[in-house]
Amino acid sequence: MEKNKYDFIQEIFEQKNLTDSQRQKLFSLIKDEIKKDGFEIRNLDERVKILEMKLNVETQLVKKDLYQETANKSPIINNNLPKYYYPSSLYKYLFDYNQDPILKSTCHEIDSDELINILEYCETKIYDYEKHLKKIIEAFKNHEENHFAPTNVKSLIRGYITGKDYHGKSIKGWSSNSFKTNWSCDTLKNWCLLNPGIPPNLDRGLGRKKKNTGYEINPNLSLDTGEIIQKFSDLVLYFKHLFHIRSSNPLKKIITSENIANKWDEVIEFQMEENSFPYNIEFFTDVDKLIQAYNKIIELIIEQENRKETKPKVKLTLTEKDGSLELAILHKGSVYGKSIINTTERLGTTYENLIKKQINGVCNFYIRADFENDGAYSIGIWNKQDLWKTKYPIAKRLEHEIGGVEHIFEFVKPQK
Amino acid sequence: MIYLIDDKKPRQEHDYNWTEERFEQFKDVITTIHTLETLQEHRKEVFKEGNIILYHESFIDKTSIKAEASERRKALDNFRKQNNSYLIIFSGSINTRNVIDNFANIPVSVLYSNLEIFIQKYRDRDLNLKYLLFGQNHVIEQELSIIMNSEINKTAQENLNNTDKNILFIRSDENYISQPFNKYDELIFYDNISDTDFTEAILTSLDRDVYDNIFIPLCFGNTLSDFNGLRLACHIRCTKSKNQTTRIFIYGIVGIDYLLQNEYFNILKTKNTYLIPFSKKSIGEAVQIKQETYNLEELPIEIAKLKLDVPEDYEDNHSIANEWAIYRWSKTIKAEDDAIEILSHKINSNLYFKYLTTIYPISDSQRLKESDMRLKMSGAPKVLYIDDEAEKGWYEIFCKILVDLNNVDFYCIGDDFKNQTEEQIIDNSLNKVKEFNSDIVILDFRLHHRDFAKSDIDSILGIRVLKKIKKFNPGIQVIIFSATNKIWNLQALNKAEIDSFIFKERPGSSLDFDVTKKSIKLLLSTLEERSEFCFLKSFYERFDQLQKELLPRKNFKKTPNPLPKEFVDETLKWFKLSIDHLKEKIDDSKKAASFLFLFSVLENLSTRTIDVDNPIDEGKLRNGKKIFKYEFRSTKNRLRNYIEDANNLGFYRRTNSVLECGRSIPWNLKILNTLDFITDEQIDESLLSQIIKKRNDFIHSNITTGDRFTISNQDIIWLNEKIFNGLMKVI
């Protein structure tokens, strides 16, 4: 099968209006097509595996859904919602990016070991920025072809590496801070011309050996948190922090900074206890979108509480389960404002926007809440294909009240 | 045990200087693991309760199990929690430092910067992960780190300053103020913060253009709390360059209250040096302040305000004093060799020495001319120099003074003492004293670095060697050459019978403008003085021989040729007294006493030589009294008669006639006969008479009439030799 034929099939495969059964059928056709061609192209084979994985993930998720359906509703069509993307794809996309032998130099400082690797794959004796950049761009294209991720994530990384959009047009900046400095920008190129043999994102130890700080960004870049980025090495680490949550970039710290920056901590009493919000959880996701989604929920809580005199209490928990991570935002003492039926039948613009702008492809979304007069329920708002299109969410009755309204973001790892 | 699990060996060795040899020094507490295979092989030892695991975050990223990287890290943390162990994750992609319980994250650069401190503390059973995160002074370091981040972030909002002044802006490779001015020269310090690095940077970057202002960061280098900016400012002031007195602004994240304990704090008390806040605004305002004039002539007074102490990390005070003295002496006498050149380089790099040379400069008038260093020594004494640090420059200095200018027979030992035991040092020193037949020994007080830790002064090698030398031959002249100024050391040396002491110049003593010149002149005069005593060495050698010969012969039963006990005891007693009397001082009275003691020996010898107990009575009478003849015991020859010259009283002529006298032989004739006997009549009559006359003049002189007599060294040397030879011959 020729490569362009596969690309064509993939485009069809990713069409939003394709149903599950149509997608399954298409997949068998792809397999048949490969067999018919009688040879294997490793790259294509891998890409087929990715598609297969996506389907498996979906199937398993559906099977693993613990919630009991309380009613069999007739499907309605909500054309405003995007096609559901599996969050596990994003994890794999970012995890593999981080470990890619070439792309890793765009999210780590370059030390003596890494320099040896770069010289090897660039086939040069001294560091050559142009060749390195060329290899990075090639590796990124290859990575994109073999992985799936939400468009905004791909755009972010493309902007960071090339300074351009999908169509090859120069962008004003990348990330929510619209940084102009990127791997391909002219100022960086000029610096590399003036500093031959020196990688722009030097590790401090190697930099000291070479008596070079690497590329310094002037004027310095400012982050919303008040921190500044002085060097390209700092920018590279900032970039990594945008997708890799870990003990040195813990979600707890990110959320705390966000609470301070937005002054949420002045209007809300937050509870984030060590045992229910561990520091050492490691995860790959779109941190920027996660935070945006978090802020939306907090805004929602504040909006609901603005007429009350006392500070609302919000308990944040982070729980790692087998293959997934749950960030739960419990608005304590609150009661869900809508009825169960209303909640499961009408999405509402707040959640709709949240799904469209922040969480689709990043995480699944649930609510667990005490409903006035109706008891406590758990409802998957955005956790599977065709929800709000051909089926309503399912509300599962909980045995005990949960003490408020809890919004849950579920980040999913790919199945092994 | 600490396990460092890092696959990046080139980074470890090349970027952070942690070579296998360096790890070898700490192998009792740390083990390095570079591959997954090694880790798997040693997993039982590594994953043990209480261990400390330093783990590179991407350790398995290049292995077959890279997909499990995140799970493995989690498993490690679980192990840590369950086994009371410690886990430190480090990476080149970590840019923050945090610690929770027994778990920490740190940037790789911080890990390797602080690893040695952490290991040493761990060795001392002080296990605290904060040493790894923030170094030795972790409390203040953490505080400064927070302040630094906050201050740096503020500067991003500030505008650059416009100026037309010539500005040198010095900064660190991290945490710096970006673009403070529209135009300026920049100098970046990385980890090059040693004294040598600072000196080199000043000589290359501050000796081209003259600047109006120099800006220095207060905190840079691996340890913010070192406040290296103060030290750099001191270096600029103590290094000869075009900008030695240029105005300096130290821009700091903290105020003076943090700096009071810093050893270089006083630089802020000197002219044209200011501490300003860490902001572009303050930097811009500083340039507007009116300049004060600062002349080079003012520098010594201003820099003296620094009041620097000997650096704590220097080998020891002795080394500083010793090197300072070598430097000063070599400059004063213009001695040069490789060792002195190396030392000069050090003096010109090390801040403490630079400080000393700034406040105690050497001018041409302080130098000694060659003609000032000519020695007038008595005889041609052989000089041995014993010093474990001779090769640092003293050897060349002594060669110049003693060999080049004065042609003295000179030898030096000590450069291999470092590898010798104390007993070897003592034995080798004494052997060389004997082998070289040394007359004068110039001896360093401390001959091994262990001497500096000794509380018992008598165990210090210089004293032990001195005692050995003096025991071997008290006549060998020992000059102690040392920088010690402790009275108890001097007392101990005195007790051990040193002959002289020369102080090596100490930094504090350089306040005296001419101190070096004076010290060198003192050495020269001391050598001249001690050379006068060198004859004592042979006196003691003779005494030693006499003892060996005479003492066994007191025993009548065991020796075939016994001597009367009284004779042996008295001879040795007077002979020794005649020498000992000269040990400390050679003046007229000492010489006279020594001379008389020798005559006592001679008298004793005469009674042994002449058979006074058996006069020969041939029946002759003179003036009605019996007269006798006498003979020598051994030869049976008769005693000769001597006639005193009537015109030259005290001058005796030999006669061929036999002495005839009463029962008691006149003293003069007895001594003349004895001297002639023991010298086989080889002595000139006038010399013979002169010696006798001197003795008589002293015994019979009348102090009230002002009679004067002089006994020279030569008289004593002559008499000692004759008596010794006589004793050896007769007995």
Side-chain angles (χ1 to χ4, degrees):
Chain A
M1 189 164 63
E2 289 168 21
K3 193 181 171 189
N4 56 4
K5 196 194 289 180
Y6 178 85
D7 288 339
F8 173 68
I9 293 168
Q10 182 164 11
E11 271 179 38
I12 300 172
F13 188 81
E14 291 188 351
Q15 287 295 311
K16 287 178 185 174
N17 51 5
L18 215 60
T19 64
D20 276 358
S21 59
Q22 285 169 331
R23 201 183 300 274
Q24 285 284 13
K25 198 167 183 180
L26 180 62
F27 182 67
S28 354
L29 284 171
I30 297 166
K31 279 187 159 176
D32 290 343
E33 196 67 12
I34 290 172
K35 275 184 192 168
K36 212 191 294 172
D37 285 350
F39 66 92
E40 279 189 5
I41 301 169
R42 191 167 168 265
N43 193 19
L44 288 182
D45 191 36
E46 281 175 4
R47 291 155 82 178
V48 169
K49 279 181 187 165
I50 294 161
L51 297 175
E52 198 171 24
M53 190 196 72
K54 285 179 185 175
L55 286 169
N56 283 341
V57 169
E58 184 204 18
T59 313
Q60 284 174 22
L61 277 175
V62 172
K63 280 179 189 166
K64 283 178 74 177
D65 194 344
L66 298 172
Y67 304 119
Q68 299 295 316
E69 292 194 21
T70 53
N72 240 342
K73 306 279 182 187
S74 302
I76 54 155
I77 299 297
N78 184 338
N79 282 329
N80 292 330
L81 284 173
K83 180 184 136 20
Y84 173 81
Y85 290 146
Y86 298 98
S88 58
S89 304
L90 175 61
Y91 183 98
K92 178 147 179 63
Y93 181 96
L94 296 170
F95 181 85
D96 288 352
Y97 183 98
N98 188 57
Q99 286 200 335
D100 183 278
I102 295 173
L103 294 174
K104 68 186 296 188
S105 62
T106 67
C107 49
H108 292 80
E109 291 180 332
I110 294 173
D111 53 39
S112 282
D113 282 74
E114 190 52 30
L115 189 57
I116 292 167
N117 293 337
I118 293 169
L119 299 183
E120 208 169 289
Y121 64 68
C122 288
E123 296 173 345
T124 54
K125 287 190 174 166
I126 60 160
Y127 178 79
D128 183 327
Y129 159 75
E130 291 291 348
K131 283 187 181 169
H132 186 206
L133 181 61
K134 195 177 164 201
K135 288 282 178 189
I136 290 170
I137 292 170
E138 281 171 11
F140 176 60
K141 276 185 184 163
N142 191 40
H143 184 76
E144 275 202 306
E145 283 170 11
N146 290 289
H147 292 78
F148 175 82
T151 316
N152 66 293
V153 173
K154 291 199 281 191
S155 300
L156 173 98
I157 300 179
R158 193 182 298 112
Y160 168 66
I161 291 174
T162 66
K164 290 176 181 167
D165 65 10
Y166 179 75
H167 303 290
K169 269 180 69 179
S170 292
I171 52 170
K172 284 183 181 173
W174 62 274
S175 88
S176 55
N177 289 292
S178 287
F179 292 141
K180 288 186 174 59
T181 306
N182 60 66
W183 272 90
S184 303
C185 70
D186 288 342
T187 49
L188 178 62
K189 278 183 184 172
N190 290 338
W191 182 89
C192 289
L193 280 174
L194 293 170
N195 295 272
I198 309 288
N201 53 329
L202 276 176
D203 158 74
R204 193 179 193 192
L206 182 58
R208 287 180 162 185
K209 289 283 172 197
K210 292 186 176 290
K211 296 281 174 281
N212 196 304
T213 56
Y215 172 52
E216 294 181 353
I217 304 167
N218 284 315
N220 298 161
L221 307 177
S222 294
L223 303 177
D224 299 337
T225 53
E227 293 167 298
I228 60 168
I229 290 171
Q230 295 197 300
K231 295 192 284 192
F232 194 60
S233 295
D234 300 337
L235 190 68
V236 162
L237 298 188
Y238 164 77
F239 169 70
K240 185 175 168 71
H241 284 182
L242 290 179
F243 63 81
H244 192 184
I245 288 169
R246 51 186 175 152
S247 53
S248 59
N249 180 39
L251 189 55
K252 192 173 188 174
K253 186 182 163 196
I254 297 168
I255 286 179
T256 305
S257 300
E258 204 60 31
N259 288 344
I260 294 167
N262 293 310
K263 299 184 177 172
W264 299 147
D265 56 337
E266 291 177 12
V267 289
I268 291 175
E269 189 183 318
F270 285 102
Q271 292 173 4
M272 260 200 284
E273 287 151 13
E274 179 52 44
N275 54 2
S276 56
F277 207 113
Y279 61 90
N280 60 347
I281 284 180
E282 189 170 340
F283 212 82
F284 288 87
T285 190
D286 182 342
V287 174
D288 209 13
K289 289 291 178 197
L290 184 163
I291 290 304
Q292 284 178 30
Y294 166 79
N295 284 337
K296 292 288 173 199
I297 301 299
I298 297 297
E299 281 168 13
L300 197 64
I301 293 169
I302 291 170
E303 193 185 308
Q304 283 177 357
E305 289 277 340
N306 68 358
R307 285 180 297 273
K308 295 179 185 169
E309 284 177 6
T310 53
K311 263 189 182 182
K313 286 180 182 159
V314 170
K315 184 179 181 182
L316 300 170
T317 53
L318 188 66
T319 316
E320 196 169 25
K321 292 180 178 170
D322 192 22
S324 71
L325 181 70
E326 276 188 12
L327 169 64
I329 306 157
L330 172 64
H331 179 191
K332 286 175 104 175
S334 176
V335 173
Y336 204 73
K338 295 198 283 184
S339 69
I340 296 285
I341 293 169
N342 218 344
T343 307
T344 53
E345 290 187 355
R346 288 182 58 199
L347 182 61
T349 51
T350 306
Y351 288 170
E352 187 179 298
N353 286 336
L354 187 69
I355 290 164
K356 281 198 293 189
K357 293 179 182 169
Q358 278 89 30
I359 62 174
N360 188 28
V362 175
C363 58
N364 291 327
F365 177 44
Y366 300 90
I367 56 167
R368 229 169 4 223
D370 296 331
F371 286 79
E372 205 167 354
N373 305 322
D374 287 335
Y377 286 86
S378 170
I379 303 164
I381 302 292
W382 189 250
N383 62 335
K384 62 179 85 170
Q385 285 283 358
D386 299 331
L387 211 53
W388 306 103
K389 289 180 187 287
T390 59
K391 51 193 165 196
Y392 287 118
I394 298 153
K396 182 195 166 195
R397 177 81 189 240
L398 300 173
E399 285 181 15
H400 304 289
E401 288 193 346
I402 61 150
V405 176
E406 191 169 45
H407 292 89
I408 300 149
F409 299 132
E410 183 195 36
F411 303 87
V412 187
K413 281 186 189 177
Q415 295 293 311
K416 285 176 190 166
Chain B
M1 192 70 179
I2 303 168
Y3 288 92
L4 173 59
I5 302 169
D6 189 358
D7 52 308
K8 293 195 163 194
K9 207 174 173 191
R11 172 176 73 180
Q12 195 175 72
E13 292 186 346
H14 178 261
D15 302 354
Y16 295 106
N17 305 320
W18 274 95
T19 57
E20 283 181 9
E21 293 73 35
R22 193 169 172 195
F23 278 116
E24 186 67 17
Q25 297 169 39
F26 305 104
K27 65 180 179 185
D28 56 320
V29 283
I30 188 166
T31 302
T32 53
I33 289 171
H34 296 296
T35 65
L36 183 60
E37 291 70 37
T38 319
L39 179 59
Q40 283 167 342
E41 197 183 319
H42 294 95
R43 64 182 184 279
K44 282 187 181 169
E45 299 126 66
V46 177
F47 300 113
K48 256 188 193 167
E49 188 174 345
N51 277 350
I52 299 157
I53 298 167
L54 312 176
Y55 184 80
H56 176 219
E57 191 177 40
S58 311
F59 181 67
I60 58 172
D61 279 8
K62 286 184 191 165
T63 69
S64 57
I65 57 165
K66 65 178 184 180
E68 299 167 26
S70 154
E71 282 74 23
R72 293 284 172 140
R73 286 190 286 269
K74 193 172 177 195
L76 262 178
D77 195 29
N78 287 338
F79 165 80
R80 189 264 308 172
K81 284 177 191 162
Q82 288 158 16
N83 293 279
N84 193 28
S85 297
Y86 296 79
L87 176 64
I88 296 92
I89 302 280
F90 64 93
S91 167
S93 67
I94 294 177
N95 58 357
T96 54
R97 293 175 257 196
N98 59 58
V99 57
I100 299 170
D101 302 327
N102 298 350
F103 178 85
N105 285 287
I106 50 172
V108 64
S109 57
V110 174
L111 172 95
Y112 283 115
S113 289
N114 295 333
L115 186 57
E116 188 163 334
I117 290 165
F118 178 68
I119 293 172
Q120 279 167 345
K121 292 282 181 188
Y122 177 71
R123 234 186 208 165
D124 298 340
R125 299 174 185 278
D126 185 2
L127 173 53
N128 185 342
L129 295 186
K130 290 206 170 176
Y131 289 125
L132 196 57
L133 270 71
F134 296 102
Q136 176 87 24
N137 305 313
H138 60 84
V139 176
I140 178 76
E141 205 59 30
Q142 188 169 6
E143 186 180 336
L144 290 174
S145 176
I146 293 165
I147 298 172
M148 174 64 90
N149 286 338
S150 161
E151 293 300 313
I152 285 283
N153 293 341
K154 284 182 204 164
T155 64
Q157 315 303 324
E158 295 184 296
N159 297 322
L160 58 77
N161 301 291
N162 285 311
T163 183
D164 54 358
K165 304 278 186 193
N166 287 335
I167 286 165
L168 176 67
F169 190 77
I170 298 174
R171 69 169 175 88
S172 170
D173 61 335
E174 286 206 338
N175 298 322
Y176 52 88
I177 293 181
S178 300
Q179 295 183 312
F181 295 102
N182 56 329
K183 68 174 186 77
Y184 60 97
D185 286 345
E186 187 173 71
L187 174 61
I188 302 174
F189 281 99
Y190 297 84
D191 54 352
N192 50 333
I193 55 162
S194 68
D195 280 354
T196 310
D197 294 329
F198 280 173
T199 304
E200 198 181 308
I202 292 165
L203 294 176
T204 51
S205 302
L206 275 82
D207 205 24
R208 287 193 303 256
D209 302 318
V210 177
Y211 293 104
D212 299 311
N213 298 290
I214 297 172
F215 287 87
I216 299 175
L218 177 65
C219 303
F220 62 99
N222 283 332
T223 311
L224 300 176
S225 58
D226 282 347
F227 302 117
N228 283 317
L230 298 174
R231 186 163 61 90
L232 177 58
C234 293
H235 265 280
I236 292 173
R237 293 290 185 246
C238 296
T239 310
K240 281 182 184 158
S241 80
K242 288 180 181 171
N243 289 286
Q244 196 168 4
T245 55
T246 298
R247 185 163 64 168
I248 293 174
F249 291 105
I250 300 170
Y251 55 101
I253 55 169
V254 290
I256 276 176
D257 45 337
Y258 276 80
L259 311 179
L260 289 170
Q261 301 303 317
N262 188 281
E263 58 190 309
Y264 306 109
F265 171 76
N266 287 342
I267 190 68
L268 295 172
K269 295 179 183 170
T270 65
K271 212 167 168 182
N272 257 3
T273 309
Y274 307 93
L275 180 70
I276 59 168
F278 188 95
S279 71
K280 286 185 187 176
K281 184 171 175 266
S282 304
I283 286 168
E285 286 168 357
V287 178
Q288 309 301 324
I289 300 169
K290 199 182 165 193
Q291 290 264 13
E292 273 185 282
T293 53
Y294 192 179
N295 299 319
L296 281 173
E297 293 72 38
E298 298 174 78
L299 257 180
I301 296 166
E302 285 298 310
I303 296 309
K305 292 178 188 169
L306 292 183
K307 293 192 173 72
L308 292 189
D309 291 325
V310 175
E312 280 175 15
D313 57 352
Y314 211 80
E315 298 150 57
D316 46 62
N317 273 0
H318 171 79
S319 293
I320 284 268
N322 193 39
E323 288 171 3
W324 177 242
I326 293 169
Y327 172 75
R328 298 275 295 189
W329 280 50
S330 62
K331 291 286 167 203
T332 305
I333 68 167
K334 291 185 188 166
E336 288 169 356
D337 77 340
D338 289 348
I340 291 172
E341 197 179 319
I342 291 168
L343 179 65
S344 295
H345 180 73
K346 189 175 181 179
I347 298 278
N348 292 328
S349 304
N350 177 285
L351 180 56
Y352 182 70
F353 282 125
K354 282 163 73 172
Y355 157 75
L356 292 177
T357 54
T358 307
I359 59 176
Y360 307 129
I362 298 178
S363 68
D364 285 342
S365 66
Q366 288 164 269
R367 296 185 209 281
L368 271 171
K369 293 178 198 155
E370 289 190 355
S371 58
D372 295 333
M373 293 187 278
R374 300 281 179 209
L375 281 166
K376 288 170 194 158
M377 294 217 278
S378 173
K382 295 174 76 134
V383 179
L384 175 69
Y385 177 45
I386 306 175
D387 185 350
D388 60 324
E389 295 194 316
E391 293 300 320
K392 278 191 169 181
W394 287 118
Y395 175 69
E396 178 55 30
I397 288 167
F398 281 111
C399 275
K400 169 132 192 184
I401 296 172
L402 298 177
V403 183
D404 299 352
L405 299 176
N406 293 293
N407 206 24
V408 171
D409 197 352
F410 173 72
Y411 200 84
C412 169
I413 59 164
D415 58 313
D416 53 352
F417 282 179
K418 284 177 187 65
N419 307 317
Q420 295 178 8
T421 63
E422 295 200 355
E423 298 313 315
Q424 283 172 331
I425 290 170
I426 294 166
D427 290 347
N428 291 338
S429 298
L430 190 64
N431 288 341
K432 185 49 78 178
V433 168
K434 294 175 186 173
E435 183 190 311
F436 184 58
N437 194 18
S438 316
D439 296 301
I440 298 174
V441 176
I442 302 172
L443 178 65
D444 187 23
F445 182 53
R446 293 186 173 93
L447 296 173
H448 197 279
H449 65 84
R450 280 192 297 270
D451 278 347
F452 293 96
K454 289 174 180 167
S455 53
D456 174 18
I457 296 170
D458 286 337
S459 66
I460 290 173
L461 282 175
I463 288 199
R464 293 178 68 190
V465 170
L466 166 67
K467 284 179 177 171
K468 287 272 182 185
I469 295 172
K470 286 294 181 185
K471 189 178 174 193
F472 165 64
N473 188 326
I476 296 173
Q477 300 302 297
V478 183
I479 303 169
I480 294 285
F481 187 51
S482 169
T484 185
N485 55 2
K486 306 280 186 299
I487 189 69
W488 46 88
N489 288 340
L490 300 179
Q491 279 172 331
L493 285 165
N494 210 36
K495 199 174 151 197
E497 300 185 343
I498 51 160
D499 296 297
S500 289
F501 191 98
I502 304 289
F503 282 104
K504 279 181 190 173
E505 185 175 347
R506 298 178 69 85
S509 59
S510 306
L511 264 175
D512 177 352
F513 182 73
D514 268 341
V515 69
T516 317
K517 217 166 153 178
K518 285 176 187 166
S519 293
I520 297 169
K521 284 191 165 176
L522 180 63
L523 173 78
L524 295 171
S525 64
T526 303
L527 281 168
E528 286 174 352
E529 180 193 296
R530 293 335 296 179
S531 69
E532 278 188 44
F533 288 76
C534 287
F535 62 83
L536 292 177
K537 187 181 83 172
S538 56
F539 283 17
Y540 279 109
E541 280 169 1
R542 287 169 190 158
F543 174 72
D544 209 32
Q545 268 183 278
L546 281 178
Q547 267 194 314
K548 280 178 192 156
E549 185 63 37
L550 294 178
L551 287 175
R553 289 172 63 185
K554 287 196 320 187
N555 191 328
F556 277 76
K557 288 177 185 169
K558 287 187 179 174
T559 182
N561 49 351
L563 287 167
K565 183 177 175 296
E566 297 73 22
F567 169 76
V568 172
D569 288 345
E570 289 207 1
T571 299
L572 290 175
K573 180 177 77 182
W574 295 121
F575 196 87
K576 186 155 189 299
L577 266 174
S578 76
I579 311 170
D580 286 347
H581 222 66
L582 298 171
K583 262 196 323 188
E584 287 178 15
K585 200 175 174 187
I586 302 183
D587 59 14
D588 286 349
S589 65
K590 295 266 184 192
K591 281 191 277 190
S594 174
F595 189 72
L596 291 178
F597 290 140
L598 281 174
F599 263 93
S600 299
V601 182
L602 195 57
E603 283 175 45
N604 206 28
L605 182 58
S606 69
T607 55
R608 192 75 223 130
T609 313
I610 300 164
D611 191 357
V612 290
D613 304 323
N614 300 299
I616 302 162
D617 184 0
E618 291 179 345
K620 286 187 179 179
L621 294 171
R622 187 181 294 160
N623 299 330
K625 289 183 179 174
K626 268 189 175 180
I627 56 168
F628 302 90
K629 291 178 182 173
Y630 292 85
E631 60 183 24
F632 292 103
R633 288 182 200 268
S634 57
T635 60
K636 303 296 179 191
N637 290 337
R638 304 277 165 94
L639 266 64
R640 184 205 293 273
N641 192 23
Y642 294 78
I643 299 169
E644 191 174 12
D645 190 336
N647 300 321
N648 187 8
L649 287 178
F651 181 81
Y652 289 87
R653 291 186 193 285
R654 293 186 184 102
T655 66
N656 289 327
S657 56
V658 172
L659 173 66
E660 290 180 337
C661 61
R663 187 61 188 87
S664 168
I665 307 169
W667 187 89
N668 287 0
L669 295 172
K670 188 166 138 188
I671 296 301
L672 285 165
N673 267 292
T674 304
L675 278 170
D676 257 348
F677 179 80
I678 63 176
T679 58
D680 293 332
E681 299 181 3
Q682 295 297 309
I683 306 168
D684 179 60
E685 285 172 334
S686 63
L687 186 59
L688 200 61
S689 305
Q690 209 179 340
I691 291 294
I692 305 289
K693 186 173 186 301
K694 281 195 176 177
R695 182 264 177 193
N696 290 340
D697 283 350
F698 179 73
I699 295 294
H700 306 298
S701 63
N702 186 341
I703 296 167
T704 54
T705 57
D707 286 352
R708 294 189 64 81
F709 58 91
T710 317
I711 290 163
S712 69
N713 286 0
Q714 214 46 50
D715 295 333
I716 297 169
I717 292 166
W718 183 90
L719 192 58
N720 179 285
E721 186 195 341
K722 298 307 171 212
I723 291 172
F724 170 75
N725 289 338
L727 281 165
M728 294 304 282
K729 181 183 172 186
V730 171
I731 57 180

